[in-house]
Amino acid sequence: DDQYPDSFPYESWLKERVVLAEMNFGTTLSSNSWINTGDHCAWSGITCNAEKKVTTVVIEDFGIEGTFPQSLSKLSELTTLTTDGNSLAGTISDGVCNKNNIQIVGDETNCPNNVGTDGCCAAVRLTDPSPYLINLVSSEMNIDASDCSLLPDLERNVCNFMKDDENHYVFGDDQYPDSFPYESWLKDRLILVRM
C-alpha cells in the first residue's frame, strides 16, 4: 500500500479487490486475462464511485464458466450487475438480490425469478429459447394463433409479449437486408426481451 496516499481507502479497496479476485479465479474469467496489477476500478466491466467502492460489474457475454460468485454480496455499493451470456452454475445469492436499488441482468439459469416476473433480476435472458419460440417468429407461423400455454413457465411471458400486436415489430425481419445474420440475432433478441 506504499503507492497510495494516506487518504486512500486502502482497507476497503483491498477487500473489494479480493472479492473480484475470487470471481476471477473461481470462474474462467482468469483465462481472459481479466485481472491485472492495476487498479481494479479500471478493469473491464468494473466501475467504482469516488470512494473507490465497486458500483458496477458488467461481465456480459464473456463466455465464462464456473460457479456463480456468491461473494459479490460483499460489494457494499454494488448497484448494477450484468452477467448474462455466460455459463455460470448456481443462482444469484439473496445477499446480492436484496441489495438496495440493485439492477440485475442475468441468465435464466442464475436468476431466481422467471422472465417477465418481478424478482431478483430486472431482466432475465433465456439461455436457450425453445424451438417453438424460434419458429414462432422465424417461420410462417401465425403469432396471433400461437398457444403460449404449451410453453413452460419460463417462456410463456415472452410468447404472450410477442402475441401483442404492438410488439410484432420487435421481431420482424422485413427491415433487414438479406446479408443480416437474422437467425443468430433473433435468438439473442428473444433472450434479451425485457418485459
Side-chain angles (χ1 to χ4, degrees):
D1 66 352
D2 54 353
Q3 60 184 309
Y4 300 100
D6 290 341
S7 61
F8 189 82
Y10 183 73
E11 185 175 343
S12 61
W13 176 89
L14 184 59
K15 286 179 180 178
E16 298 210 331
R17 190 175 182 87
V18 168
V19 169
L20 297 176
E22 287 175 355
M23 182 170 71
N24 179 75
F25 293 112
T27 67
T28 55
L29 257 177
S30 54
S31 65
N32 295 339
S33 301
W34 184 66
I35 197 171
N36 60 57
T37 57
D39 184 351
H40 59 258
C41 293
W43 292 354
S44 178
I46 302 298
T47 304
C48 298
N49 60 19
E51 289 76 40
K52 293 292 188 178
K53 296 273 194 173
V54 174
T55 58
T56 301
V57 175
V58 177
I59 51 171
E60 179 180 28
D61 292 324
F62 275 39
I64 57 176
E65 299 175 357
T67 302
F68 198 94
Q70 302 301 313
S71 60
L72 289 177
S73 62
K74 297 177 184 174
L75 300 176
S76 62
E77 301 298 316
L78 186 66
T79 56
T80 302
L81 175 63
T82 304
T83 62
D84 59 316
N86 296 296
S87 298
L88 295 169
T91 56
I92 300 169
S93 71
D94 289 343
V96 173
C97 289
N98 295 333
K99 286 185 172 294
N100 286 335
N101 301 314
I102 192 162
Q103 290 291 309
I104 300 174
V105 178
D107 287 324
E108 61 173 309
T109 52
N110 305 127
C111 290
N113 57 290
N114 289 341
V115 175
T117 62
D118 291 335
C120 180
C121 296
V124 181
R125 177 173 171 170
L126 297 176
T127 55
D128 188 17
S130 71
Y132 187 88
L133 277 183
I134 295 294
N135 289 334
L136 187 60
V137 293
S138 62
S139 72
E140 298 303 315
M141 287 181 70
N142 183 344
I143 292 178
D144 294 322
S146 61
D147 186 358
C148 297
S149 66
L150 297 174
L151 296 173
D153 290 343
L154 199 55
E155 296 185 327
R156 190 173 300 131
N157 287 330
V158 175
C159 181
N160 286 325
F161 174 85
M162 291 163 58
K163 285 182 71 168
D164 187 326
D165 289 339
E166 293 181 6
N167 299 323
H168 285 191
Y169 74 92
V170 174
F171 300 96
D173 64 352
D174 54 352
Q175 58 187 309
Y176 301 100
D178 291 340
S179 60
F180 188 81
Y182 182 74
E183 185 175 342
S184 59
W185 173 90
L186 175 64
K187 289 179 180 179
D188 279 346
R189 194 157 184 93
L190 280 170
I191 60 184
L192 289 170
V193 168
R194 298 181 184 196
M195 310 299 272

